[in-house]
C-alpha cells in the first residue's frame, strides 16, 4: 500500500487539492445548493465564525509546537501535532463551508477606506496563502504516510513541510485578523 501511494503522491495531491478548492469555490460562489444541507439552529450557525477563530488560534499553537518538536528530533510528537493541525483545518473548513453555503460570505460593515486599504488586502493575502498551502499540506502528509520515517529526509518532506507550515501559520493568523475585522471591530 505504501509503495503504491508513494508512486502517486503527486496525482493524489492534485486530486485532493482540486476537490478541496472546488468545494470552497463552489460554496463561496453559491453553486452548492442550500437544500443539500440540514439547517442548524441560528445560534449554532451564528457561532461558527467564533468557533473557527478559536480553531485557527489552536491550529497556530499546534503548528508552532510541531515545528519545535521536529527541531528537537521528536518525530512522534511532530507527527501527532501536524495530524492534529490537519484535523483542526478539516473542522475549520467543514464549518466554514457549511456556514457559507447557508449564509453566503460575510460582508464587511466597517468604513469604506478600511475595507479598501486594509480589509481587502488582508483578505486577499489570507485567501492566496490558504490556496497555496492546500497542495503543500496534502503533499507533505501524503509523503509522511507513504514513506517510512527513516526515508522522509530523502524526500521533499522537510523542505515542503517548512513551506507548508509557514504558509499555514500566516494564513491562519490573517484569518484571525479577518475575523476580528468582521466580528470584533465592526
Amino acid at each position: 500500500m505504501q509503495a503504491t501511494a508513494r508512486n502517486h503522491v503527486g496525482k493524489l495531491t492534485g486530486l485532493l487539492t482540486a476537490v478541496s478548492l472546488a468545494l470552497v469555490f463552489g460554496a463561496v460562489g453559491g453553486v452548492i445548493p442550500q437544500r443539500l444541507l440540514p439547517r442548524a439552529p441560528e445560534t449554532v450557525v451564528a457561532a461558527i465564525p467564533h468557533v473557527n477563530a478559536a480553531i485557527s488560534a489552536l491550529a497556530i499553537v499546534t503548528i508552532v509546537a510541531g515545528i519545535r518538536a521536529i527541531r528537537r528530533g521528536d518525530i512522534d510528537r511532530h507527527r501527532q501535532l501536524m495530524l492534529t493541525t490537519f484535523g483542526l483545518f478539516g473542522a475549520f473548513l467543514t464549518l466554514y463551508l457549511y456556514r457559507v453555503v447557508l449564509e453566503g460570505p460575510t460582508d464587511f460593515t466597517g468604513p469604506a477606506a478600511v475595507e479598501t486599504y486594509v480589509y481587502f488586502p488582508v483578505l486577499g493575502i489570507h485567501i492566496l496563502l490558504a490556496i497555496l498551502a492546500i497542495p503543500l499540506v496534502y503533499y507533505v502528509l501524503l509523503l509522511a504516510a507513504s514513506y517510512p520515517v527513516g526515508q522522509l529526509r530523502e524526500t521533499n518532506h522537510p523542505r515542503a513541510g517548512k513551506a507548508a507550515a509557514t504558509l499555514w501559520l500566516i494564513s491562519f493568523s490573517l484569518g484571525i485578523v479577518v475575523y476580528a475585522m468582521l466580528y470584533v471591530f465592526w
Side-chain angles (χ1 to χ4, degrees), residues 96-166:
Y96 174 78
L97 293 175
Y98 177 76
R99 186 179 179 286
V100 167
V101 168
L102 293 179
E103 303 283 319
T106 303
D107 293 327
F108 181 77
T109 60
V114 173
E115 180 179 45
T116 301
Y117 298 110
V118 180
Y119 176 74
F120 282 143
V122 170
L123 179 64
I125 294 167
H126 163 66
I127 291 169
L128 177 64
L129 294 180
I131 290 169
L132 292 173
I134 288 173
L136 282 172
V137 168
Y138 284 138
Y139 180 70
V140 169
L141 288 173
L142 288 167
L143 285 174
S146 59
Y147 282 86
V149 171
Q151 293 179 4
L152 276 177
R153 288 195 181 272
E154 300 165 17
T155 71
N156 284 328
H157 182 85
R159 184 176 38 247
K162 287 177 187 175
T166 300

Side-chain angles (χ1 to χ4, degrees), residues 42-119:
E42 276 310 310
T43 54
V44 172
V45 174
I48 289 174
H50 312 295
V51 170
N52 271 350
I55 288 172
S56 295
L58 186 55
I60 291 168
V61 171
T62 59
I63 293 169
V64 170
I67 292 168
R68 287 184 177 164
I70 200 63
R71 286 183 180 161
R72 286 190 319 267
D74 191 343
I75 294 168
D76 289 335
R77 183 78 175 135
H78 171 75
R79 181 186 304 118
Q80 291 169 350
L81 288 161
M82 293 298 103
L83 288 173
T84 299
T85 303
F86 186 72
L88 291 167
F89 169 70
F92 172 95
L93 191 60
T94 300
L95 290 170
Y96 174 78
L97 293 175
Y98 177 76
R99 186 179 179 286
V100 167
V101 168
L102 293 179
E103 303 283 319
T106 303
D107 293 327
F108 181 77
T109 60
V114 173
E115 180 179 45
T116 301
Y117 298 110
V118 180
Y119 176 74

